[in-house]
Amino acid sequence: MRPYRPKDNLQAKAYYNDRFWVAPRIPEEPVEDPVFAADLASLQEHYPIQRAYIQRGQLVIHIDAKENKEVLRYLKEELGYDVLSELSAIDYLAQDGEFEIFYQLLSLEKAKRIRVKCRIKEHEAIESVESIFRSADWSEREMYDMFGIKVNNHPNLKRILMPDDWVGHPLRKTYPLHGDEAAQWYEVDKIFGKEYRDIIGPEQRDAAFVDPNDTCNFARIKHEVPRCADPNSEPIRIEKFNDDAPFVETFDLKKAKIVNRDR
Amino acid sequence: MAQHQVNYAASGGLPVALTTVDKLVNWGRTNSLWVLTYGLACCAIEMMASGASRYDFDRFGVIFRASPRQADVMIVAGTLTKKHAEFIRRLYDQMAEPKWVISMGSCANTGGMFNTYATVQGVDRVIPVDIYLPGCAPRPETLQYAVMLLQKQIRKRSIFQKPKPKRLV
Amino acid sequence: MQQRNRLEPYFENLVFERDDNHMVINFGPQHPSAHGQLRLILEMDGEQVAKAWPDIGYLHRGMEKMAENMIYNEFLPTTDRMDYIAATSNNYAFALAVERLLGIEDKVPRRAKVIRMILLELNRIISHLFWLATHALDVGAMSVFLYCFREREYAMDLMEDYCGARLTHSAVRIGGVPLDLPEGWLERLNWFLNILPEQIELYEGLLSENRIWRMRLENVGVIPPEMAKQWACSGIMLRGSGIPYDIRKEEPYELYDEVDFDVPVSETCDSYGRYKLYMEEMRQSIRIIRQLIPMYKETEPQLLAHVPEYISAHKEDIMTQNYSLMQHFVLVTQGMRPPVGEVYVPTESPKGELGFYIRSEGEPYPYRMKIRAPSFWHTGILQDLLPGHYLADVVTIIGSTNIVFGEIDR
């Protein structure tokens, strides 16, 4: 029997786990940096903040997803975090049924980086921040494309990396790495039509694949048949190498003719 | 005005070369392979390098063309993705016969290291390929060797034979 | 003899002539000066662009999905294929992100740091030379292409001597570098650094005061500082708009705080200003490498960080020490298990701010890896930048943004 694999998370898993091993955690330091502390205090006066800590030199703020636009507007206009350098999501559907969305902000004057995080449920939508940061236009489209997270009030919310008629959202943990059926036949269906699936054949994704019935491209050890012959035909018996191979002869020094090189 | 007459017998023979039509046509075809620049990814950089100063592809009569209607050979240099597959077939259909395809690099041959949902696992699923060129990315010398192999392949073909329909894998 | 297929003529669905006299032009995805697979749908009002819709994703290979299914060391060669013009800067950005995730950034030996920096700056030179070559070719200067590729080949030879590959280097490992510099490499590097400034002057002599070059680049593609901030521009696109922000200076990593270099800034905000910056950055890279050569000679010969939990030991130890062999076996077959947490690490790649966001759940596979590629936003800005320009300027603007599709689509 094949071992059961959970379908909600198709990511590769470690094949061995130590029972007693507990993963260490990166320390979440209290906010002591003077710049970050001032910014955080200013932000806390206006908006409720769930958690705030410093991890590897960057301030991380957890907020409520409904307030994302206001918080980012405040961070940009009052505190000077004027570049939205990154925006994306993380799929926690298998564990919590939620997506985590992070906004990576940079202040060019202070040379400091803040990460704002919020969580939404699977079928919820998030408010677009495109009107504050123009760069969110493409990032939110990418987020929609890869995770299927709907973004409200976005000017042009459609797929950006995958083609428009693509099925599924690739970066979800439920999406297999090699693609579902629609993905695997995508180019054949589009160019030749579905009836050509049988002629062109399925994709060959196993690099070590050996087809025992294909004698044109593969040889079976101890069952050598002539090239492109029926795989079940009588194998060639190789007992003495030289008798079967007419072109290879044992080198006999007495028969050999020595060519005069000077000639 | 006195007409100038050449004494061919004295000057070495008639200005006529005897050859077969096959050889003549294939000589022309092999030495002016115009290439459609199909640069898709990393291999395109090596393709450009082989056209540039050190490797100098012009020695082979290989000239890069941007239009498929002027090209004989398509060098598919790089990863072909599913979104792009439609366009490569379109451009291949626009090329005039006779046409050849060189699949450059592992990604074009088999999908290479990108064994994912978005990558076509070998361009031979979409267009027929004549020369497979391994490497990631192949060096310019390798590309030049592939063109030489293609020239060899062209020389073998007779123009009177009806070309076999090229088959997809 | 053609296989039958069901592809219809393409422009059937697009409206050529509209009531308002606008024409729709399709540019790409296989256009010789689109720098890869950019498809632009341009709505033209006469000769001027009224609207531009960049369409990307023609090189999307699913790298982020791949990263989730690979152990950390396994993913490193894949980063080569992102910005394939300067592959080491990607390797380095990834290695630095993982090192910061593991918390071993300080344990990287000094010699490894110096070698990495030399390779990074060499890659910057390669990338800028390549940019100049293709940009000049697009604008119409063929000979500059040939000259630039000549010097680029010298730099490629240096990279090849070090790591064996011309294009996809994988020259950096997590925790250090795999190899010491080969014998005589520094002399060859020195020779290259000596000839390069003369050659840069040659390019500038061909281009800077050239009337055609100036007319096609000056006041074309003007990015005001506010727009650059809005679109999260970085690197030369940001400095070309008059904002002096270089991650090497502002958030120094590696040994960039020990070397002395300038950050050139252009106030003109146009393509010509950016071209000037590229030339100046090459000179600064030469200056940095010149300072690094004596630093290299003073260092100890250790190359990889000594962190047995995460990094394999030196090859000689693996062959002779029992414990090192066991550790190496576990790290290769199972992979290292970083602590739970997340990290975002920006680096200054030749194109701009290349950042890696890694979320680790304590497994050997990253839970999520987001690659912040600078070219992604530099392509997005075309939406706002192109309208108002002439069709002939589109190629100039695409060229001056220096985009590479391997990292846009990932």
Side-chain angles (χ1 to χ4, degrees):
Chain A
M1 238 172 72
R2 246 182 257 158
Y4 173 74
R5 294 211 171 131
K7 297 286 181 291
D8 55 355
N9 188 350
L10 298 175
Q11 193 188 345
K13 301 276 188 312
Y15 66 88
Y16 172 75
N17 281 310
D18 191 340
R19 277 167 62 199
F20 302 106
W21 186 73
V22 178
R25 306 185 75 88
I26 298 178
E28 297 177 354
E29 299 151 13
V31 185
E32 284 167 356
D33 184 278
V35 181
F36 281 147
D39 290 348
L40 184 62
S42 165
L43 193 64
Q44 260 165 343
E45 284 173 16
H46 296 82
Y47 303 101
I49 284 175
Q50 291 166 359
R51 275 170 76 206
Y53 53 87
I54 286 183
Q55 203 168 36
R56 294 276 187 252
Q58 292 175 8
L59 178 63
V60 186
I61 303 172
H62 290 251
I63 58 162
D64 189 16
K66 284 175 187 133
E67 288 179 336
N68 66 336
K69 196 172 174 181
E70 286 75 38
V71 170
L72 289 190
R73 186 187 298 280
Y74 187 81
L75 279 170
K76 184 190 177 189
E77 287 171 3
E78 306 295 326
L79 301 180
Y81 288 87
D82 43 6
V83 175
L84 176 71
S85 54
E86 181 60 286
L87 180 173
S88 196
I90 310 174
D91 181 348
Y92 283 112
L93 292 179
Q95 295 94 321
D96 313 330
E98 286 178 335
F99 287 111
E100 187 171 277
I101 295 173
F102 64 89
Y103 301 89
Q104 184 76 38
L105 297 169
L106 161 70
S107 166
L108 289 175
E109 279 174 20
K110 302 176 197 168
K112 291 279 182 191
R113 288 172 194 269
I114 282 188
R115 185 156 55 247
V116 180
K117 309 185 78 165
C118 56
R119 288 199 166 211
I120 58 166
K121 295 262 181 257
E122 185 179 358
H123 295 294
E124 280 177 0
I126 192 151
E127 187 67 26
S128 169
V129 295
E130 192 267 341
S131 55
I132 312 169
F133 297 106
R134 191 77 177 84
S135 61
D137 182 356
W138 275 31
S139 314
E140 280 170 351
R141 275 175 74 186
E142 193 193 343
M143 185 168 77
Y144 165 70
D145 190 359
M146 290 291 143
F147 291 94
I149 299 173
K150 295 264 179 9
V151 184
N152 287 340
N153 298 326
H154 190 278
N156 180 26
L157 189 68
K158 55 179 201 176
R159 285 182 183 271
I160 184 167
L161 292 179
M162 306 312 292
D164 286 339
D165 50 353
W166 192 260
V167 181
H169 298 284
L171 275 182
R172 287 197 181 195
K173 296 281 176 190
T174 49
Y175 195 89
L177 174 66
H178 294 174
D180 51 11
E181 199 201 338
Q184 288 184 351
W185 293 103
Y186 181 83
E187 76 276 18
V188 176
D189 288 357
K190 185 141 193 178
I191 297 173
F192 303 108
K194 278 193 177 166
E195 62 273 18
Y196 272 74
R197 281 189 183 191
D198 294 338
I199 298 168
I200 292 176
E203 282 178 334
Q204 181 50 263
R205 283 184 181 269
D206 183 6
F209 176 76
V210 173
D211 186 1
N213 293 325
D214 181 4
T215 52
C216 292
N217 296 319
F218 302 104
R220 268 164 80 188
I221 297 172
K222 297 187 178 168
H223 194 275
E224 281 90 355
V225 294
R227 188 162 183 271
C228 292
D230 183 26
N232 296 320
S233 59
E234 191 63 26
I236 307 168
R237 291 174 65 85
I238 302 178
E239 284 156 356
K240 257 180 85 181
F241 183 68
N242 279 353
D243 293 351
D244 279 33
F247 294 109
V248 182
E249 282 185 38
T250 318
F251 177 68
D252 190 357
L253 193 63
K254 285 174 189 167
K255 284 186 192 169
K257 197 191 286 178
I258 294 166
V259 181
N260 185 8
R261 288 191 186 177
D262 299 337
R263 196 162 50 128
Chain B
M1 200 188 263
Q3 275 207 338
H4 179 68
Q5 286 209 338
V6 182
N7 188 351
Y8 289 117
S11 63
L14 286 167
V16 174
L18 290 177
T19 178
T20 59
V21 182
D22 268 355
K23 273 189 185 165
L24 184 70
V25 171
N26 283 340
W27 169 76
R29 278 181 183 168
T30 49
N31 291 317
S32 67
L33 288 172
W34 285 16
V35 165
L36 174 66
T37 54
Y38 215 87
L40 296 169
C42 336
C43 296
I45 310 297
E46 290 297 61
M47 191 169 74
M48 285 172 81
S50 56
S53 25
R54 184 192 267 185
Y55 294 97
D56 191 14
F57 231 150
D58 293 3
R59 292 177 293 162
F60 296 82
V62 171
I63 296 171
F64 290 104
R65 302 301 298 181
S67 165
R69 294 174 202 276
Q70 302 164 348
D72 307 310
V73 187
M74 179 192 258
I75 299 181
V76 186
T79 322
L80 183 70
T81 58
K82 305 226 170 191
K83 195 175 179 181
H84 199 108
E86 183 197 346
F87 294 92
I88 199 169
R89 183 72 214 189
R90 259 177 217 292
L91 290 180
Y92 179 78
D93 287 347
Q94 286 176 26
M95 284 165 66
E97 288 279 354
K99 53 191 171 187
W100 298 274
V101 176
I102 295 176
S103 152
M104 181 183 181
S106 304
C107 294
N109 294 341
T110 64
M113 68 197 303
F114 298 106
N115 195 354
T116 58
Y117 56 92
T119 316
V120 175
Q121 302 294 305
V123 285
D124 46 12
R125 287 175 68 76
V126 183
I127 54 175
V129 176
D130 293 279
I131 305 271
Y132 293 90
L133 173 55
C136 186
R139 297 173 61 90
E141 292 97 327
T142 327
L143 181 59
Q144 292 181 339
Y145 182 60
V147 170
M148 282 153 72
L149 279 182
L150 184 66
Q151 288 176 338
K152 219 179 205 174
Q153 198 172 320
I154 295 168
R155 270 188 217 112
K156 280 182 193 165
R157 206 172 93 174
S158 167
I159 58 162
F160 297 111
Q161 281 172 355
K162 202 180 168 193
K164 281 183 195 164
K166 285 177 186 170
R167 205 175 65 83
L168 292 177
V169 170
Chain C
M1 196 57 68
Q2 299 208 342
Q3 206 125 7
R4 201 173 60 77
N5 60 53
R6 58 206 281 272
L7 297 176
E8 299 294 325
Y10 193 66
F11 279 111
E12 222 171 44
N13 308 327
L14 276 181
V15 186
F16 265 121
E17 295 277 346
R18 301 196 325 191
D19 297 338
D20 51 357
N21 257 339
H22 278 204
M23 191 172 74
V24 177
I25 284 184
N26 180 50
F27 181 97
Q30 191 49 50
H31 189 276
S33 62
H35 283 239
Q37 310 185 32
L38 171 66
R39 179 168 170 227
L40 272 175
I41 299 162
L42 299 170
E43 201 182 303
M44 306 292 296
D45 178 11
E47 190 75 353
Q48 279 182 324
V49 180
K51 256 181 194 167
W53 305 100
D55 187 7
I56 62 168
Y58 290 97
L59 196 53
H60 176 67
R61 298 165 286 191
M63 278 194 185
E64 286 166 13
K65 190 85 179 170
M66 274 170 85
E68 289 174 10
N69 294 286
M70 281 181 168
I71 63 175
Y72 288 87
N73 275 318
E74 213 177 347
F75 185 65
L76 197 126
T78 316
T79 56
D80 281 333
R81 277 85 185 165
M82 269 166 34
D83 175 5
Y84 33 75
I85 295 167
T88 308
S89 57
N90 304 318
N91 300 150
Y92 175 71
F94 174 68
L96 185 72
V98 178
E99 280 160 18
R100 202 168 286 178
L101 182 72
L102 301 171
I104 59 165
E105 205 185 342
D106 307 331
K107 294 181 184 169
V108 177
R110 195 174 162 83
R111 173 164 287 194
K113 286 185 175 179
V114 174
I115 294 175
R116 281 172 172 199
M117 275 178 69
I118 294 177
L119 296 181
L120 282 177
E121 294 306 319
L122 201 57
N123 264 272
R124 199 179 303 275
I125 292 172
I126 290 176
S127 171
H128 287 358
L129 280 174
F130 185 85
W131 171 83
L132 183 66
T134 50
H135 186 42
L137 188 67
D138 289 346
V139 175
M142 179 79 188
S143 50
V144 180
F145 171 78
L146 296 173
Y147 288 133
C148 285
F149 262 74
R150 186 182 63 194
E151 269 69 59
R152 184 171 168 271
E153 290 290 339
Y154 293 138
M156 301 280 266
D157 278 355
L158 286 170
M159 286 308 297
E160 198 183 334
D161 282 353
Y162 176 69
C163 66
R166 272 168 60 87
L167 206 64
T168 47
H169 307 135
S170 297
V172 172
R173 295 287 181 278
I174 298 167
V177 286
L179 301 161
D180 207 346
L181 296 180
E183 210 174 313
W185 197 82
L186 285 176
E187 285 78 57
R188 290 197 289 279
L189 178 68
N190 238 329
W191 176 82
F192 175 65
L193 295 183
N194 287 337
I195 63 154
L196 191 60
E198 298 166 18
Q199 298 297 333
I200 294 174
E201 271 172 32
L202 172 78
Y203 313 142
E204 287 192 325
L206 281 167
L207 296 174
S208 289
E209 299 305 322
N210 188 329
R211 258 179 73 195
I212 304 170
W213 183 257
R214 289 191 75 142
M215 282 170 80
R216 292 207 59 180
L217 262 70
E218 272 179 337
N219 295 322
V220 167
V222 177
I223 306 175
E226 192 46 44
M227 188 178 177
K229 280 185 201 169
Q230 281 274 329
W231 269 104
C233 285
S234 47
I236 285 184
M237 292 282 277
L238 189 65
R239 294 194 286 276
S241 299
I243 303 171
Y245 195 86
D246 190 323
I247 298 171
R248 292 175 293 174
K249 275 272 189 225
E250 308 287 334
E251 303 162 65
Y253 50 92
E254 218 56 75
L255 301 176
Y256 278 112
D257 43 357
E258 291 182 25
V259 291
D260 182 29
F261 64 100
D262 297 334
V263 179
V265 180
S266 160
E267 300 289 339
T268 52
C269 307
D270 60 352
S271 299
Y272 189 77
R274 267 169 256 145
Y275 150 75
K276 282 286 193 193
L277 289 190
Y278 279 107
M279 303 316 253
E280 191 53 39
E281 278 222 338
M282 275 199 268
R283 295 207 177 92
Q284 295 301 327
S285 290
I286 295 169
R287 196 172 148 200
I288 293 174
I289 299 178
R290 285 231 165 98
Q291 293 170 43
L292 285 168
I293 291 171
M295 280 165 82
Y296 169 80
K297 288 174 181 161
E298 292 161 6
T299 49
E300 299 290 315
Q302 196 196 348
L303 290 174
L304 276 169
H306 180 68
V307 191
E309 204 178 336
Y310 300 124
I311 312 285
S312 286
H314 190 255
K315 206 75 187 171
E316 202 180 305
D317 285 351
I318 295 171
M319 296 301 183
T320 52
Q321 309 285 321
N322 197 0
Y323 184 78
S324 299
L325 177 65
M326 286 154 63
Q327 193 68 42
H328 178 68
F329 182 75
V330 170
L331 285 174
V332 168
T333 54
Q334 295 184 20
M336 63 176 94
R337 290 168 190 252
V340 181
E342 59 192 10
V343 70
Y344 173 78
V345 180
T347 55
E348 181 81 21
S349 91
K351 309 280 180 299
E353 176 188 335
L354 178 65
F356 274 79
Y357 172 86
I358 302 177
R359 168 83 206 179
S360 156
E361 294 279 339
E363 293 280 309
Y365 305 96
Y367 193 78
R368 172 93 170 95
M369 182 181 297
K370 181 79 180 75
I371 301 159
R372 192 257 185 231
S375 301
F376 186 77
W377 283 272
H378 296 172
T379 320
I381 202 171
L382 294 178
Q383 280 184 56
D384 293 352
L385 193 57
L386 290 183
H389 282 97
Y390 288 100
L391 182 60
D393 295 336
V394 171
V395 173
T396 314
I397 294 172
I398 295 172
S400 81
T401 52
N402 195 5
I403 50 182
V404 169
F405 268 76
E407 68 175 7
I408 293 170
D409 300 336
R410 301 180 292 278

